[in-house]
Short mmCIF file of all heavy atoms in Angstrom, two decimals:
data_model
loop_
_atom_site.label_atom_id
_atom_site.label_comp_id
_atom_site.label_asym_id
_atom_site.label_seq_id
_atom_site.Cartn_x
_atom_site.Cartn_y
_atom_site.Cartn_z
N ARG A 1166 -6.61 -12.43 23.29
CA ARG A 1166 -6.02 -11.09 23.41
C ARG A 1166 -4.69 -11.04 22.69
O ARG A 1166 -3.61 -11.11 23.30
CB ARG A 1166 -5.81 -10.73 24.88
CG ARG A 1166 -5.48 -9.25 25.10
CD ARG A 1166 -4.97 -9.01 26.50
NE ARG A 1166 -4.84 -7.60 26.80
CZ ARG A 1166 -3.98 -7.10 27.68
NH1 ARG A 1166 -3.17 -7.91 28.34
NH2 ARG A 1166 -3.92 -5.81 27.91
N PRO A 1167 -4.72 -10.89 21.37
CA PRO A 1167 -3.45 -10.74 20.65
C PRO A 1167 -2.74 -9.45 21.06
O PRO A 1167 -3.39 -8.46 21.45
CB PRO A 1167 -3.88 -10.65 19.18
CG PRO A 1167 -5.25 -11.19 19.13
CD PRO A 1167 -5.87 -10.90 20.46
N SER A 1168 -1.43 -9.47 20.96
CA SER A 1168 -0.64 -8.28 21.24
C SER A 1168 0.34 -8.05 20.10
O SER A 1168 0.65 -8.96 19.32
CB SER A 1168 0.11 -8.41 22.56
OG SER A 1168 0.99 -9.51 22.51
N CYS A 1169 0.82 -6.83 19.99
CA CYS A 1169 1.75 -6.43 18.93
C CYS A 1169 2.84 -5.59 19.58
O CYS A 1169 2.56 -4.49 20.07
CB CYS A 1169 1.02 -5.64 17.87
SG CYS A 1169 2.09 -4.90 16.62
N ALA A 1170 4.05 -6.11 19.58
CA ALA A 1170 5.18 -5.42 20.17
C ALA A 1170 5.99 -4.71 19.09
O ALA A 1170 6.37 -5.33 18.09
CB ALA A 1170 6.06 -6.40 20.92
N ALA A 1171 6.24 -3.43 19.29
CA ALA A 1171 6.97 -2.63 18.31
C ALA A 1171 8.40 -2.38 18.77
O ALA A 1171 8.65 -2.21 19.97
CB ALA A 1171 6.26 -1.30 18.08
N SER A 1172 9.31 -2.33 17.83
CA SER A 1172 10.70 -1.96 18.12
C SER A 1172 11.23 -1.11 16.96
O SER A 1172 10.71 -1.16 15.85
CB SER A 1172 11.57 -3.20 18.32
OG SER A 1172 11.58 -4.01 17.15
N GLY A 1173 12.26 -0.33 17.27
CA GLY A 1173 12.86 0.50 16.24
C GLY A 1173 12.13 1.80 15.97
O GLY A 1173 12.49 2.53 15.04
N ILE A 1174 11.09 2.10 16.77
CA ILE A 1174 10.34 3.33 16.59
C ILE A 1174 10.01 3.95 17.93
O ILE A 1174 10.06 3.27 18.96
CB ILE A 1174 9.01 3.10 15.82
CG1 ILE A 1174 8.12 2.07 16.56
CG2 ILE A 1174 9.26 2.70 14.39
CD1 ILE A 1174 6.76 1.88 15.95
N ILE A 1175 9.70 5.24 17.92
CA ILE A 1175 9.15 5.89 19.10
C ILE A 1175 7.66 5.64 19.05
O ILE A 1175 6.91 6.40 18.44
CB ILE A 1175 9.49 7.39 19.13
CG1 ILE A 1175 11.01 7.57 19.06
CG2 ILE A 1175 8.93 8.04 20.38
CD1 ILE A 1175 11.44 9.02 18.90
N PHE A 1176 7.21 4.57 19.65
CA PHE A 1176 5.86 4.07 19.46
C PHE A 1176 4.80 5.08 19.84
O PHE A 1176 3.72 5.11 19.25
CB PHE A 1176 5.69 2.78 20.26
CG PHE A 1176 4.37 2.10 20.07
CD1 PHE A 1176 4.01 1.57 18.84
CD2 PHE A 1176 3.46 2.01 21.12
CE1 PHE A 1176 2.79 0.95 18.66
CE2 PHE A 1176 2.24 1.38 20.95
CZ PHE A 1176 1.90 0.86 19.71
N SER A 1177 5.09 5.92 20.81
CA SER A 1177 4.08 6.86 21.32
C SER A 1177 3.61 7.87 20.28
O SER A 1177 2.54 8.46 20.45
CB SER A 1177 4.60 7.58 22.55
OG SER A 1177 5.77 8.32 22.22
N VAL A 1178 4.36 8.07 19.20
CA VAL A 1178 3.94 9.04 18.18
C VAL A 1178 3.24 8.37 17.01
O VAL A 1178 2.88 9.04 16.04
CB VAL A 1178 5.14 9.88 17.66
CG1 VAL A 1178 5.84 10.57 18.82
CG2 VAL A 1178 6.11 9.04 16.85
N TYR A 1179 3.04 7.06 17.09
CA TYR A 1179 2.41 6.31 16.02
C TYR A 1179 0.95 6.01 16.35
O TYR A 1179 0.64 5.55 17.46
CB TYR A 1179 3.14 4.98 15.80
CG TYR A 1179 4.41 5.09 15.01
CD1 TYR A 1179 5.54 5.70 15.55
CD2 TYR A 1179 4.48 4.60 13.71
CE1 TYR A 1179 6.70 5.81 14.81
CE2 TYR A 1179 5.65 4.70 12.97
CZ TYR A 1179 6.76 5.30 13.53
OH TYR A 1179 7.90 5.41 12.79
N ALA A 1180 0.07 6.22 15.37
CA ALA A 1180 -1.26 5.63 15.44
C ALA A 1180 -1.11 4.13 15.22
O ALA A 1180 -0.21 3.68 14.50
CB ALA A 1180 -2.17 6.24 14.39
N ALA A 1181 -1.97 3.34 15.83
CA ALA A 1181 -1.88 1.89 15.70
C ALA A 1181 -3.24 1.31 15.37
O ALA A 1181 -4.27 1.89 15.74
CB ALA A 1181 -1.32 1.27 16.99
N SER A 1182 -3.24 0.20 14.71
CA SER A 1182 -4.49 -0.43 14.33
C SER A 1182 -4.30 -1.92 14.12
O SER A 1182 -3.17 -2.41 13.99
CB SER A 1182 -5.07 0.22 13.06
OG SER A 1182 -4.12 0.21 12.03
N TRP A 1183 -5.42 -2.60 14.12
CA TRP A 1183 -5.48 -4.02 13.80
C TRP A 1183 -6.33 -4.20 12.55
O TRP A 1183 -7.43 -3.63 12.46
CB TRP A 1183 -6.08 -4.83 14.95
CG TRP A 1183 -5.19 -4.99 16.12
CD1 TRP A 1183 -5.12 -4.20 17.23
CD2 TRP A 1183 -4.22 -6.04 16.32
NE1 TRP A 1183 -4.17 -4.68 18.10
CE2 TRP A 1183 -3.60 -5.82 17.57
CE3 TRP A 1183 -3.81 -7.14 15.57
CZ2 TRP A 1183 -2.61 -6.65 18.09
CZ3 TRP A 1183 -2.83 -7.97 16.08
CH2 TRP A 1183 -2.24 -7.73 17.32
N TYR A 1184 -5.82 -5.01 11.62
CA TYR A 1184 -6.56 -5.41 10.43
C TYR A 1184 -6.70 -6.92 10.45
O TYR A 1184 -5.99 -7.62 11.19
CB TYR A 1184 -5.79 -5.00 9.16
CG TYR A 1184 -5.83 -3.53 8.83
CD1 TYR A 1184 -5.11 -2.61 9.58
CD2 TYR A 1184 -6.57 -3.06 7.75
CE1 TYR A 1184 -5.15 -1.25 9.26
CE2 TYR A 1184 -6.60 -1.72 7.42
CZ TYR A 1184 -5.89 -0.82 8.18
OH TYR A 1184 -5.91 0.52 7.86
N ARG A 1185 -7.59 -7.43 9.63
CA ARG A 1185 -7.68 -8.88 9.48
C ARG A 1185 -7.97 -9.23 8.02
O ARG A 1185 -8.54 -8.43 7.29
CB ARG A 1185 -8.75 -9.46 10.40
CG ARG A 1185 -10.18 -9.09 10.05
CD ARG A 1185 -11.13 -9.62 11.11
NE ARG A 1185 -12.53 -9.27 10.82
CZ ARG A 1185 -13.53 -9.48 11.66
NH1 ARG A 1185 -13.31 -10.05 12.84
NH2 ARG A 1185 -14.75 -9.14 11.32
N GLN A 1186 -7.56 -10.43 7.67
CA GLN A 1186 -7.80 -10.92 6.33
C GLN A 1186 -8.20 -12.39 6.40
O GLN A 1186 -7.41 -13.23 6.84
CB GLN A 1186 -6.57 -10.74 5.44
CG GLN A 1186 -6.83 -11.06 3.98
CD GLN A 1186 -5.73 -10.57 3.07
OE1 GLN A 1186 -4.60 -10.30 3.50
NE2 GLN A 1186 -6.03 -10.45 1.78
N ALA A 1187 -9.42 -12.65 5.97
CA ALA A 1187 -9.92 -14.02 5.91
C ALA A 1187 -9.62 -14.59 4.53
O ALA A 1187 -9.44 -13.83 3.56
CB ALA A 1187 -11.43 -14.04 6.18
N PRO A 1188 -9.58 -15.91 4.40
CA PRO A 1188 -9.29 -16.52 3.10
C PRO A 1188 -10.26 -16.04 2.03
O PRO A 1188 -11.48 -16.04 2.22
CB PRO A 1188 -9.47 -18.01 3.38
CG PRO A 1188 -9.18 -18.16 4.83
CD PRO A 1188 -9.72 -16.91 5.47
N GLY A 1189 -9.71 -15.60 0.90
CA GLY A 1189 -10.53 -15.16 -0.22
C GLY A 1189 -11.14 -13.79 -0.07
O GLY A 1189 -11.93 -13.37 -0.91
N LYS A 1190 -10.79 -13.09 1.00
CA LYS A 1190 -11.36 -11.76 1.24
C LYS A 1190 -10.26 -10.71 1.33
O LYS A 1190 -9.09 -11.03 1.54
CB LYS A 1190 -12.18 -11.75 2.52
CG LYS A 1190 -13.41 -12.64 2.47
CD LYS A 1190 -14.28 -12.43 3.70
CE LYS A 1190 -15.57 -13.25 3.61
NZ LYS A 1190 -16.43 -13.04 4.80
N GLN A 1191 -10.66 -9.44 1.16
CA GLN A 1191 -9.70 -8.35 1.28
C GLN A 1191 -9.38 -8.08 2.75
O GLN A 1191 -10.18 -8.36 3.64
CB GLN A 1191 -10.29 -7.09 0.63
CG GLN A 1191 -10.37 -7.15 -0.89
CD GLN A 1191 -10.76 -5.82 -1.49
OE1 GLN A 1191 -11.46 -5.03 -0.87
NE2 GLN A 1191 -10.30 -5.56 -2.70
N ARG A 1192 -8.22 -7.51 2.96
CA ARG A 1192 -7.86 -7.10 4.31
C ARG A 1192 -8.77 -5.95 4.74
O ARG A 1192 -9.03 -5.02 3.96
CB ARG A 1192 -6.39 -6.65 4.34
CG ARG A 1192 -5.84 -6.42 5.73
CD ARG A 1192 -4.34 -6.16 5.70
NE ARG A 1192 -3.58 -7.30 5.18
CZ ARG A 1192 -2.26 -7.40 5.24
NH1 ARG A 1192 -1.54 -6.42 5.79
NH2 ARG A 1192 -1.65 -8.45 4.74
N GLU A 1193 -9.25 -6.01 5.97
CA GLU A 1193 -10.18 -5.00 6.47
C GLU A 1193 -9.73 -4.47 7.83
O GLU A 1193 -9.12 -5.19 8.62
CB GLU A 1193 -11.60 -5.56 6.60
CG GLU A 1193 -11.74 -6.69 7.60
CD GLU A 1193 -13.19 -7.13 7.80
OE1 GLU A 1193 -14.11 -6.51 7.24
OE2 GLU A 1193 -13.40 -8.12 8.53
N LEU A 1194 -10.06 -3.20 8.06
CA LEU A 1194 -9.75 -2.58 9.34
C LEU A 1194 -10.69 -3.13 10.41
O LEU A 1194 -11.90 -3.17 10.23
CB LEU A 1194 -9.90 -1.07 9.24
CG LEU A 1194 -9.69 -0.27 10.52
CD1 LEU A 1194 -8.25 -0.37 11.00
CD2 LEU A 1194 -10.08 1.18 10.32
N VAL A 1195 -10.11 -3.53 11.54
CA VAL A 1195 -10.88 -4.04 12.66
C VAL A 1195 -11.02 -2.97 13.75
O VAL A 1195 -12.12 -2.69 14.23
CB VAL A 1195 -10.23 -5.30 13.25
CG1 VAL A 1195 -10.97 -5.76 14.50
CG2 VAL A 1195 -10.17 -6.41 12.21
#
C-alpha cells in the first residue's frame, strides 16, 4: 500500500493519480 503525501498545495482541489515505469518501458497510468 504505497502512499503519497502532498505539501504546499490545497490537495482537495487536485486530481491525483499513480503511474508506473518498468525498465525499458514508457511510464503508464495505473
Side-chain angles (χ1 to χ4, degrees):
R1166 192 193 189 207
S1168 61
C1169 172
S1172 60
I1174 58 175
I1175 303 173
F1176 184 65
S1177 60
V1178 304
Y1179 281 70
S1182 54
W1183 286 93
Y1184 285 72
R1185 68 186 180 188
Q1186 188 166 19
K1190 295 188 176 181
Q1191 290 188 330
R1192 190 172 297 191
E1193 63 174 355
L1194 176 66
V1195 175

